[in-house]
Amino acid sequence: MIRNVIPALLIGVWLGATVLNGFSFEGAWHGLLQSFQHYAVNALTDPDRAAIILFTLMIGGMVGIITRNGGMAAVVVMVVSRAKTVIGGQVAVWLMGLIIFFDDYSNTLVVGNTARPITDHLKISREKLAYIVDSTAAPVVCIAFVTTWIGYEVGLIDDAIAGVEGLQGVTAYTLFLQSIPYSFYPILAIVFVFTVAVSGRDFGPMYTAEVRARAGQVQNGVNESTPAMNGEGLDPKEGVPPRAMNALVPIGVMIVVLGASLYATGEGETLTEIIGTSDPYKAMLWASFISALSAAALTFGQRILDAHEVVDAWYGGARAMLFGMIVLVLAWSLADVTGDLDAKGYLISVLGDSLPLELVPAVVFVLAALTAFSTGTSWGTMGIMVPLVVPLAWAVMSVAGSADAGDMHILHSSIACVLAGAVWGDHCSPISDTTILSSIASGCNHIEHVRTQLPYALLVGTVGLVVGTIPAGYGLPPWISLIAGVVILVGVMRVFGKHA
């Protein structure tokens, strides 16, 4: 039970609901009932969350079809012919994560599901695949210029600066762009994944997982009780021709439709404005639905599978996502409970009036990470902290006499630290939606994914804080900190990492 995420989440939701109802037998009973009747139902009825569930199930169904029609097997053969080594396979997955830069959910689900047969063939552990997928999703999306996150991030910044005297002439998107060089954790996380991949070295629990994978066991033994996460039963139909286009076309359709849908649902004159005001949930639904239809049409049109077999393949792929969707609903329920308990209010209260100017970004980074870790949501953390951090940073700058156009690094770094800290805490949290989806897409036991990724995330986050955020608060140019951080991370891997 200790190593199973569902009982842990259920108990967490129950305990939170019990606190809200009062510590008594009656309160515990009402808390137990509300855990399911109120919080689980609310998690399902939220339109955006429902869109994520449907998007995930449709992606799973599409993967089921392109697996049964032999398309995925053909892609595996095509990629494996180029990625013939463990290092080559890991670098290929890293590159795929960078290519799908515009949405973290799409990145996680497409890369994880597509790369899993390849990494299994190369004897790369599911834990390593989940780590690469997780660390090239949110870190890439949160700092890219045109993504589904941009509208949300820029909108929060715009609302925050609206009431701050002295910032009315500054545009929110400009502040966001100027904050990117101070996003030390996302940048260093992407670089560290590449370092791990090309070095062939690992340490901690990840090293153990890789040693096991080289021996032929890519999955941890704890996975046998959760076959829904392993994609069992999704094998190519015997005798079907292995055509890569049967997998590449639906995936390409999904990417193109997602981009076109983001454009169609947005408004503005520039591409940045259009993408920033788009509806990512509607775009994801359209893209996943049309990609699944295209996979079915290709399969049925070539008479590889009949109508019944296509539906069965879709169902098999969607079923593989069911276990993760249950975990995701419970994670959302727990996040709602912590919101009702106002856990975020307690965390935010540590920002005192006497906070030293130079340490504002560092405190914001740690606080954002704690909030994201406890709530399991980077977006929620941004929504909580950006409206408070921007006025706070400006107020502290004003007191210190630094609030002018020539000395804005504290504000830029503080904004970056909300985004970077949210992603860092999200990566470390076992109830994070992207962490859960990475486990699902990679077919990795969720607890094992968290356990193996945590040392790497803590290392990169600590280096980003000590070498990047704190010196930047004292005025050190961020590019110097980034170079130093990369050198340190490479050195740590060189000294402590071992070949599996």
Side-chain angles (χ1 to χ4, degrees):
M1 180 174 177
I2 295 176
R3 294 174 64 84
N4 194 307
V5 67
I6 285 186
L9 287 171
L10 278 172
I11 293 173
V13 176
W14 179 27
L15 289 176
T18 299
V19 172
L20 291 170
N21 282 277
F23 279 109
S24 64
F25 287 111
E26 183 180 0
W29 173 247
H30 286 297
L32 178 62
L33 296 180
Q34 285 184 0
S35 299
F36 187 72
Q37 174 267 327
H38 177 71
Y39 289 104
V41 170
N42 285 351
L44 286 169
T45 55
D46 180 273
D48 292 342
R49 290 171 174 176
I52 292 171
I53 292 175
L54 291 175
F55 172 76
T56 304
L57 293 176
M58 197 60 67
I59 288 290
M62 184 267 288
V63 170
I65 294 173
I66 64 177
T67 300
R68 288 290 287 163
N69 69 15
M72 189 69 76
V75 171
V76 171
V77 173
M78 182 177 67
V79 176
V80 167
S81 64
R82 293 169 174 78
K84 297 181 179 180
T85 65
V86 170
I87 291 177
Q90 293 181 76
V91 173
V93 177
W94 178 80
L95 285 173
M96 291 170 67
L98 297 185
I99 291 171
I100 308 178
F101 65 89
F102 41 79
D103 182 73
D104 56 334
Y105 290 131
S106 300
N107 183 311
T108 298
L109 294 169
V110 172
V111 175
N113 281 293
T114 303
R116 187 170 61 212
I118 301 168
T119 55
D120 283 357
H121 174 82
L122 295 173
K123 295 183 179 180
I124 299 170
S125 68
R126 294 282 179 87
E127 291 89 339
K128 175 62 73 64
L129 173 60
Y131 164 66
I132 298 175
V133 167
D134 205 357
S135 295
T136 54
V140 173
V141 175
C142 81
I143 60 175
F145 294 163
V146 182
T147 72
T148 55
W149 285 39
I150 290 297
Y152 183 68
E153 294 170 333
V154 173
L156 290 173
I157 297 172
D158 189 51
D159 291 341
I161 66 177
V164 178
E165 185 177 353
L167 290 178
Q168 281 80 4
V170 182
T171 64
Y173 190 69
T174 299
L175 282 178
F176 168 74
L177 293 178
Q178 292 170 332
S179 74
I180 291 178
Y182 296 93
S183 297
F184 297 108
Y185 177 75
I187 296 172
L188 292 177
I190 296 169
V191 173
F192 188 65
V193 173
F194 180 75
T195 301
V196 171
V198 298
S199 69
R201 296 171 180 265
D202 290 284
F203 62 84
M206 189 69 78
Y207 171 75
T208 304
E210 286 294 276
V211 170
R212 187 199 69 232
R214 300 298 185 277
Q217 186 184 354
V218 297
Q219 301 181 64
N220 188 287
V222 299
N223 276 349
E224 72 277 2
S225 61
T226 57
M229 294 182 67
N230 302 330
E232 291 185 2
L234 290 179
D235 300 315
K237 182 181 178 180
E238 292 185 9
V240 300
R243 297 168 182 161
M245 66 170 241
N246 288 333
L248 296 178
V249 169
I251 293 174
V253 166
M254 188 189 66
I255 295 173
V256 171
V257 172
L258 181 62
S261 300
L262 290 172
Y263 186 87
T265 58
E267 297 179 355
E269 297 180 358
T270 66
L271 181 61
T272 299
E273 292 175 347
I274 293 171
I275 298 298
T277 58
S278 65
D279 186 341
Y281 299 104
K282 184 182 293 184
M284 287 191 299
L285 286 175
W286 290 350
S288 61
F289 181 57
I290 294 176
S291 67
L293 289 180
S294 66
L298 274 173
T299 304
F300 186 70
Q302 298 173 69
R303 298 183 179 179
I304 296 174
L305 303 174
D306 60 32
H308 295 291
E309 290 173 322
V310 168
V311 172
D312 182 68
W314 181 92
Y315 172 74
R319 185 189 61 185
M321 300 293 178
L322 183 59
F323 179 85
M325 291 302 96
I326 295 172
V327 175
L328 193 56
V329 168
L330 291 175
W332 283 329
S333 301
L334 184 58
D336 290 342
V337 169
T338 59
D340 290 345
L341 289 170
D342 197 27
K344 58 183 179 292
Y346 172 76
L347 292 174
I348 292 172
S349 66
V350 302
L351 289 174
D353 297 332
S354 59
L355 189 64
L357 174 66
E358 294 81 7
L359 295 181
V360 169
V363 173
V364 168
F365 179 71
V366 174
L367 187 57
L370 290 173
T371 305
F373 180 84
S374 61
T375 62
T377 167
S378 52
W379 277 41
T381 299
M382 295 175 198
I384 292 166
M385 296 198 63
V386 169
L388 298 175
V389 166
V390 171
L392 173 68
W394 187 257
V396 176
M397 289 168 61
S398 299
V399 170
S402 302
D404 58 69
D407 190 16
M408 295 281 282
H409 69 279
I410 294 295
L411 180 61
H412 297 155
S413 184
S414 296
I415 293 173
C417 284
V418 173
L419 310 182
V423 173
W424 185 34
D426 203 47
H427 273 173
C428 297
S429 175
I431 63 173
S432 158
D433 50 2
T434 51
T435 302
I436 293 168
L437 289 176
S438 298
S439 302
I440 298 169
S442 304
C444 176
N445 176 270
H446 179 60
I447 298 300
E448 290 303 306
H449 170 42
V450 174
R451 191 174 70 89
T452 53
Q453 175 170 271
L454 190 59
Y456 287 1
L458 289 176
L459 170 64
V460 177
T462 302
V463 171
L465 175 64
V466 175
V467 180
T469 301
I470 293 178
Y474 287 91
L476 185 70
W479 64 269
I480 296 179
S481 295
L482 287 172
I483 293 175
V486 170
V487 171
I488 291 174
L489 290 175
V490 172
V492 169
M493 183 55 66
R494 186 73 178 176
V495 173
F496 296 100
K498 296 182 291 184
H499 292 283

